[in-house]
C-alpha cells in the first residue's frame, strides 16, 4: 500500500466527491425547472423532491449495502454503483416527464447509498489512529471542495438550461477506472464468522445516528430554500445562486480540513456544540439579510459549523463500531445522514405555509442554539469513559 498510497487516497477522495454532488449539483436549476413544469400539479414541491429524493433511497439502501459488503466484500458493489450513478444521474437531461425524472433520481440514490457506505467503510478499513483522523477530515474537505466545483458548474450550466447540470453525473465514469486500478480488498474482513451477529456497537452510536439526521434536516434548508430566497432579494443569475451555496461548502471544507487539529484540542461533544452554535449564527444572518452579501456571510458561518460536525460524526462512529460489523454500522450512519436530507423539505413545507423563508431560518436558528446548549450540558455531565469510547 505504501508505494501507491497517494493513488489509493486520491481514489477514495474522488469517490467521496461524487456523494456530495449527487444531491446539490442541480440546486441552482430548481427555479427554472419549476417554471418548466409549472403545468404539473404541485410542481414547486415536486421539483424540490427531485433534489432530495436520492437522499431517501440512499437512506433505504445504505443499511442493505452495509450488510452485503460485510458478507461479500466492497469493490464489485462499488464498481456497479459507479456505473449506475452515471446512467441514472444523467437521465434528467434526456427525460421530459417530471415523474420519470423523479424515478431516475431515486435510482441515483440507490447508487450513492452503495458508494458512500463503501467509501466510508474502506477508510475505516485502510487507516487507523491519527492517520484515520486526518484522512476523515481531508475526505469531508475534499467533498466540500467537490461541492464547490460541481455546484458552481451547475449554476453556470443552469443559466444555459435547467437540463445541462444533469450531464455532470457522467463524471463517475472517470472515477471508475481509478477504483478498479488502485483500491484493494481489505484484509480485515472475515467471512463466515458465526459470532458476528452477536457483536453490537455501544448504545451511544444511536445518539450519533439521530443527531446526524437532525443536522441534515436543518442544514439542507440551504440548498433547498436559499435559491428561492435569493430570488426574492432580486438575485436573478443562477451562477450567483450557485456561488452563494458553494460558499457554505467552501467554508465547510476549511473547517473539515482543520478537523484533526480541532479534535486534538476539543472533545467530540464540544465540537458538536461549537458547530451548532456557528450554524445558529449563520441562520440568524439569513433572517436579517437584505442583500446577497449578507446571505454569503450567513453561508460562511453555517458551512464552517457543519464542516466540523460531519467528520466529527464519522470519526466517532468509526472509532466505536466493531470491525466485524463496521459496514452495517456505517450503513446505518449513511441512512440517517440522507434521511435527514430527504425529510428536510417535507418537514419544512408546512412551516413555509405559515412563515416566510426568512422567518423559517430564524425558527431553525432557535433549534440550533438549543442543540448547541444540549451538547455543552452533555459534555459537562458525561463521563470520560463515554467520551473516549
Amino acid at each position: 500500500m505504501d508505494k501507491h498510497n497517494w493513488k489509493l487516497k486520491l481514489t477514495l477522495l474522488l469517490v467521496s466527491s461524487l456523494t456530495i454532488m449527487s444531491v446539490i449539483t442541480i440546486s441552482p436549476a430548481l427555479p427554472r425547472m419549476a417554471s418548466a413544469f409549472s403545468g404539473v400539479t404541485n410542481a414547486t414541491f415536486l421539483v424540490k423532491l427531485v433534489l432530495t429524493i436520492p437522499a431517501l433511497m440512499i437512506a433505504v439502501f445504505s443499511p442493505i449495502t452495509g450488510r452485503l459488503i460485510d458478507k461479500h466484500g466492497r469493490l464489485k458493489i462499488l464498481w456497479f454503483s459507479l456505473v449506475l450513478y452515471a446512467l441514472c444521474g444523467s437521465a434528467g437531461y434526456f427525460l421530459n416527464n417530471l415523474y420519470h425524472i423523479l424515478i431516475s433520481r431515486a435510482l441515483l440514490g440507490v447508487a450513492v447509498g452503495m458508494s458512500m457506505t463503501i467509501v466510508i467503510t474502506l477508510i475505516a478499513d485502510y487507516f487507523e489512529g491519527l492517520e484515520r483522523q486526518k484522512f476523515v477530515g481531508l475526505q469531508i474537505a475534499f467533498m466540500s471542495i467537490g461541492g464547490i466545483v460541481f455546484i458552481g458548474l451547475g449554476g453556470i450550466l443552469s443559466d444555459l438550461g435547467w437540463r445541462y447540470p444533469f450531464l455532470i453525473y457522467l463524471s463517475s465514469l472517470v472515477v471508475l477506472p481509478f477504483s478498479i486500478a488502485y483500491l484493494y480488498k481489505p484484509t480485515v474482513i472475515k467471512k463466515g464468522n458465526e459470532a458476528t451477529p452477536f457483536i453490537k456497537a455501544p448504545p451511544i452510536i444511536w445518539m450519533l445516528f439521530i443527531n446526524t439526521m437532525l443536522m441534515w434536516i436543518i442544514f439542507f434548508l440551504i440548498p433547498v430554500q436559499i435559491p428561492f430566497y435569493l430570488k426574492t432579494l432580486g438575485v436573478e443569475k443562477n451562477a450567483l445562486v450557485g456561488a452563494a451555496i458553494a460558499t457554505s461548502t467552501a467554508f465547510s471544507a476549511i473547517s473539515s480540513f482543520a478537523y484533526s487539529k480541532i479534535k486534538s484540542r476539543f472533545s467530540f461533544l464540544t465540537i458538536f456544540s461549537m458547530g451548532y452554535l456557528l450554524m445558529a449564527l449563520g441562520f440568524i444572518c439569513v433572517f436579517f439579510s437584505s442583500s446577497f452579501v449578507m446571505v454569503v456571510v450567513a453561508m460562511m458561518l453555517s458551512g464552517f459549523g457543519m464542516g466540523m460536525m460531519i467528520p466529527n460524526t464519522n470519526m466517532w462512529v468509526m472509532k466505536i463500531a466493531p470491525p466485524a460489523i463496521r459496514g452495517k454500522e456505517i450503513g446505518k450512519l449513511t441512512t440517517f445522514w440522507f434521511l435527514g436530507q430527504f425529510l428536510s423539505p417535507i418537514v419544512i413545507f408546512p412551516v413555509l405555509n405559515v412563515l416566510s423563508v426568512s422567518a423559517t431560518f430564524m425558527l431553525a436558528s432557535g433549534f440550533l442554539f438549543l442543540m448547541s446548549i444540549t451538547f455543552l450540558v452533555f459534555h459537562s455531565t458525561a463521563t470520560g469513559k463515554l467520551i473516549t469510547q
Side-chain angles (χ1 to χ4, degrees), residues 130-321:
L130 184 59
E131 186 180 19
R132 180 191 289 172
Q133 182 172 298
K134 289 180 178 179
F135 193 80
V136 167
L138 180 62
Q139 180 209 16
I140 303 301
F142 198 89
M143 288 171 65
S144 299
I145 292 170
I148 298 168
V149 173
F150 289 124
I151 201 169
L153 183 58
I156 293 170
L157 291 177
S158 64
D159 279 329
L160 301 176
W162 65 264
R163 295 182 180 275
Y164 288 98
F166 287 94
L167 294 177
I168 299 174
Y169 293 99
L170 293 172
S171 59
S172 69
L173 296 180
V174 177
V175 178
L176 178 60
F178 285 88
S179 68
I180 295 173
Y182 301 123
L183 299 182
Y184 65 90
K185 181 181 177 180
T187 57
V188 298
I189 307 302
K190 295 181 180 179
K191 296 183 181 180
N193 185 351
E194 296 180 358
T196 296
F198 302 101
I199 298 175
K200 293 183 178 180
I204 188 119
I205 202 168
W206 283 97
M207 181 275 286
L208 297 175
F209 294 156
I210 295 170
N211 179 64
T212 294
M213 181 179 69
L214 294 175
M215 230 163 51
W216 281 106
I217 287 175
I218 300 299
F219 186 74
F220 229 60
L221 277 168
I222 291 174
V224 176
Q225 306 300 338
I226 286 296
F228 296 91
Y229 181 63
L230 285 173
K231 296 296 181 182
T232 66
L233 295 181
V235 178
E236 296 297 331
K237 282 285 186 179
N238 288 319
L240 288 177
V241 174
I245 299 172
T247 299
S248 69
T249 56
F251 276 77
S252 176
I254 293 171
S255 59
S256 296
F257 189 75
Y259 172 74
S260 184
K261 293 182 178 180
I262 295 172
K263 183 63 186 72
S264 66
R265 298 184 61 184
F266 301 101
S267 70
F268 288 118
L269 295 171
T270 302
I271 292 172
F272 279 131
S273 180
M274 293 189 300
Y276 275 122
L277 178 61
L278 287 168
M279 284 184 63
L281 294 174
F283 278 35
I284 288 177
C285 287
V286 173
F287 174 75
F288 287 107
S289 64
S290 58
S291 66
F292 176 78
V293 173
M294 192 66 176
V295 172
V296 170
V297 172
M299 297 301 96
M300 291 177 181
L301 291 168
S302 302
F304 200 88
M306 192 67 172
M308 69 174 65
M309 290 196 290
I310 300 172
N312 197 52
T313 303
N314 291 359
M315 186 65 194
W316 202 348
V317 171
M318 288 179 187
K319 186 174 183 179
I320 64 178

Side-chain angles (χ1 to χ4, degrees), residues 91-148:
Y93 178 81
F94 306 98
L95 297 174
N96 295 310
N97 184 293
L98 181 55
Y99 291 98
H100 292 167
I101 293 175
L102 280 169
I103 293 172
S104 71
R105 295 285 290 176
L107 291 174
L108 172 67
V110 173
V112 178
M114 294 177 180
S115 64
M116 181 174 181
T117 300
I118 294 169
V119 75
I120 295 176
T121 306
L122 285 174
I123 291 171
D125 292 337
Y126 291 154
F127 309 110
E128 294 181 352
L130 184 59
E131 186 180 19
R132 180 191 289 172
Q133 182 172 298
K134 289 180 178 179
F135 193 80
V136 167
L138 180 62
Q139 180 209 16
I140 303 301
F142 198 89
M143 288 171 65
S144 299
I145 292 170
I148 298 168

Side-chain angles (χ1 to χ4, degrees), residues 19 22 54 57-58 61 65 77-78 80-86 88-89 105-118:
T19 299
S22 64
M57 302 310 293
I58 295 168
F61 274 86
T65 300
I77 299 175
L78 175 62
F80 170 76
S81 73
L82 293 177
V83 174
L84 184 65
Y85 184 103
C88 298
R105 295 285 290 176
L107 291 174
L108 172 67
V110 173
V112 178
M114 294 177 180
S115 64
M116 181 174 181
T117 300
I118 294 169

